[in-house]
Amino acid sequence: MYGALMKISSRRPRLLGWAAATAAALTLSFVYGGLQAARPAAKPDGSIDGLTAKFVDVGGIRTRYYDYGQGEPIVMLHGGTRSGANVFSRNIPGLAKRFRVLAMDRVGYGLTDNPKTSADDGNEGQVRFVRAFIETLKLGPVHLVGHSGGGAVAFYFAVEHPELVKTLSVLAHGPGMPSLGDGPSKVQAALDKCPPVESFEHPTCRLAALGHTAATFPPEFWEAESFMLSQPKWKELYARQQAAQAARRQAGPAQGARTDAYRDKMWERARSEGMKMPVLIYSGRQDTLDWEARDPHSMMKGELGFFDIVGAKSTRVKMTVVNEGGHFMYREHPEQFNADLIAFIEFWKNNPTAQ
């Protein structure tokens, strides 16, 4: 397919995707269900797994990030989780043995300040903020890694600012990719047991449901999540987002079309202009976000549709599929992911003109 590679890794099965998602959703009963004494205390910087976060002013936005290692910079962008950069806690130490790893809380997430205006809250604002972060820390061109919604931001950033991206790695199905199909995703059964989608609690329940096993998010992760959500900024952002959603509903379908316009423009630019850097698409075979409920196994339609977009005019595209991996496959198999990412970066560093 367009001269690109697909690599599928296999290992002994553990849990089926939808069953694992349901089991992970039950983690929420542990998180908020009364076993408080067994939960580790949250740190003031929200960090986990022995890491220590830093803070920097990025254009007037107090920004939380992890910064470990030396060498060429890797910038990691989390998805829609409100825990921000904590999702990469299992990957940072290993990657930092070879690179300088910077995992940031995107604007409005984690303990990074909320965007100053609603105009900065969408994907275009997120792209501007990532550029400001890179410029503030004087990083120069980086290896950019994005997960899910952060993968969409990373992709848009790479299309807009190719001079700042050495390699692009997009992890898991996300809003920057084509739809998985016409029906609901496999994760919907677990989400049906969550609070209403418009509630403040829904995103945390959704996060639990996306874990492939209960070990994806241990108690320390949930304690940090709870601590972050106790900050006033989250209630303020939630109120702003609810008001914006109400305005979009009142405006009707035309507003939704405008919301997708930026994404569609970036897809078209990628198809017509081609990607200017090597691209790694990293997927979990049992990612329930790219698995239609009616399909007996994941067909990975969204992932493959994205593959076609970035591979339309580029041979420097590789897709790696990890078996028994869910939406957070890099947390579930950190050593394998780190080895795959390092090998991908090293190959293109040593073979810059390869096709």
Side-chain angles (χ1 to χ4, degrees), residues 196 247 282:
Y282 205 86

Side-chain angles (χ1 to χ4, degrees), residues 133-322:
F133 177 82
I134 291 173
E135 291 175 345
T136 297
L137 294 179
K138 298 179 172 59
L139 300 178
V142 304
H143 299 286
L144 191 59
V145 177
H147 171 242
S148 191
V153 173
F155 166 62
Y156 303 148
F157 185 93
V159 174
E160 295 263 39
H161 307 294
E163 75 283 356
L164 292 177
V165 182
K166 293 182 178 180
T167 63
L168 170 66
S169 298
V170 178
L171 323 179
H173 181 73
M177 298 183 183
S179 172
L180 77 165
D182 298 327
S185 66
K186 200 78 167 179
V187 77
Q188 191 59 50
L191 295 183
D192 288 342
K193 301 176 182 178
C194 287
V197 67
E198 68 274 7
S199 70
F200 184 73
E201 294 77 17
H202 181 86
T204 297
C205 187
R206 177 183 175 87
L207 175 64
L210 287 173
H212 190 50
T213 73
T216 304
F217 301 110
E220 185 183 20
F221 184 96
W222 292 122
E223 178 60 27
E225 166 105 347
S226 179
F227 168 72
M228 291 182 184
L229 294 181
S230 71
Q231 307 304 305
K233 59 155 279 185
W234 275 107
K235 291 293 185 181
E236 295 169 3
L237 184 61
Y238 174 72
R240 179 196 295 178
Q241 291 173 339
Q242 289 299 104
Q245 289 176 10
R248 284 195 293 270
R249 286 193 295 269
Q250 187 173 9
Q255 179 62 43
R258 286 194 294 272
T259 300
D260 293 339
Y262 181 68
R263 179 202 65 189
D264 294 344
K265 182 175 71 173
M266 294 300 101
W267 286 1
E268 182 53 35
R269 283 185 60 181
R271 290 189 185 101
S272 61
E273 300 174 11
M275 301 301 292
K276 309 302 182 185
M277 71 292 297
V279 179
L280 172 65
I281 301 173
Y282 205 86
S283 310
R285 186 70 173 88
Q286 288 75 27
D287 184 349
T288 52
L289 274 189
D290 197 21
W291 186 345
E292 277 197 272
R294 62 187 178 185
D295 288 335
H297 57 85
S298 175
M299 305 297 290
M300 306 187 71
K301 298 172 186 175
E303 302 270 11
L304 291 171
F306 184 66
F307 191 105
D308 289 346
I309 291 172
V310 297
K313 287 194 173 181
S314 175
T315 61
R316 299 185 298 169
V317 181
K318 177 179 182 179
M319 185 172 184
T320 296
V321 182
V322 180

Side-chain angles (χ1 to χ4, degrees), residues 2 13 31 113 118 179 206 221 268 336:
Y2 303 111
V31 177
D113 286 348
S118 58
S179 172
R206 177 183 175 87
F221 184 96
E268 182 53 35
Q336 180 177 349

Side-chain angles (χ1 to χ4, degrees), residues 88-124:
F88 296 117
S89 64
R90 293 175 177 170
N91 306 101
I92 292 170
L95 293 174
K97 295 177 181 178
R98 168 62 183 82
F99 301 95
R100 181 184 178 187
V101 184
L102 303 102
M104 60 183 292
D105 289 355
R106 296 193 285 126
V107 61
Y109 289 88
L111 295 181
T112 293
D113 286 348
N114 291 338
K116 295 179 179 180
T117 69
S118 58
D120 296 324
D121 199 19
N123 283 320
E124 291 181 82

